[in-house]
Amino acid sequence: MPFPSNENLTIPRRTLATKATDYPWKKLSPGEPPAMTLQLIFGDGRVISYASSDIREMQKRDPGHLQIFVYGMEKYRITIEGRHLDDLFDLLQNSRVRSLTEMGPRTFDHPEDAPSIEKITVEALTGPQL
């Protein structure tokens, strides 16, 4: 046979999230202006929004640990813990994220190599802490 057969061809399993619904964050479309607020959606149903203009600093310790410092009427430290959050950090720096959704602990229905936000913690800061 001059051409190889497709009989034994295997299609590789999808390893990274490719659809917007696979991500625990909603990002803005390319033509949209930067986000005015950052919305946090917690696993227990609570929703908190912060003005993007109040975000003063962002830190990434590793791909699974991000911190955002919000200085508005109060000072807050928002800690985001999960997996594969490098893309999220880049999007947050450019105000391209509309909301973050806390997914809770890892489950079998979510692939190990897909991005996830396991926990969002908001702490009020008082006085010079940084």
Side-chain angles (χ1 to χ4, degrees):
M1 222 188 311
F3 297 104
S5 171
N6 289 337
E7 219 173 272
N8 296 326
L9 179 68
T10 58
I11 298 173
R13 186 175 78 78
R14 185 180 73 151
T15 57
L16 295 175
T18 57
K19 300 182 294 192
T21 57
D22 290 341
Y23 293 94
W25 56 82
K26 288 189 179 140
K27 61 183 181 176
L28 299 172
S29 301
E32 289 185 82
M36 298 295 287
T37 62
L38 175 62
Q39 184 180 56
L40 306 177
I41 304 168
F42 294 88
D44 62 4
R46 291 179 299 136
V47 178
I48 302 175
S49 293
Y50 296 98
S52 294
S53 61
D54 290 342
I55 295 174
R56 297 289 181 245
E57 184 179 344
M58 292 181 211
Q59 297 178 3
K60 178 173 70 167
R61 184 177 69 197
D62 55 56
H65 187 271
L66 309 177
Q67 288 188 325
I68 303 170
F69 295 88
V70 178
Y71 292 2
M73 296 294 285
E74 297 285 332
K75 296 179 182 179
Y76 296 100
R77 175 178 32 225
I78 301 167
T79 304
I80 302 163
E81 298 175 77
R83 294 186 324 269
H84 308 292
L85 302 178
D86 286 327
D87 289 339
L88 174 61
F89 187 71
D90 295 339
L91 291 167
L92 284 168
Q93 289 179 322
N94 295 308
S95 297
R96 304 304 302 163
V97 176
R98 183 181 316 271
S99 66
L100 305 175
T101 302
E102 184 180 62
M103 300 174 74
R106 184 177 19 204
T107 59
F108 289 109
D109 63 342
H110 196 71
E112 174 72 26
D113 50 0
S116 73
I117 295 175
E118 295 172 4
K119 185 176 181 183
I120 300 173
T121 308
V122 179
E123 302 170 76
L125 302 176
T126 55
Q129 300 241 343
L130 308 173

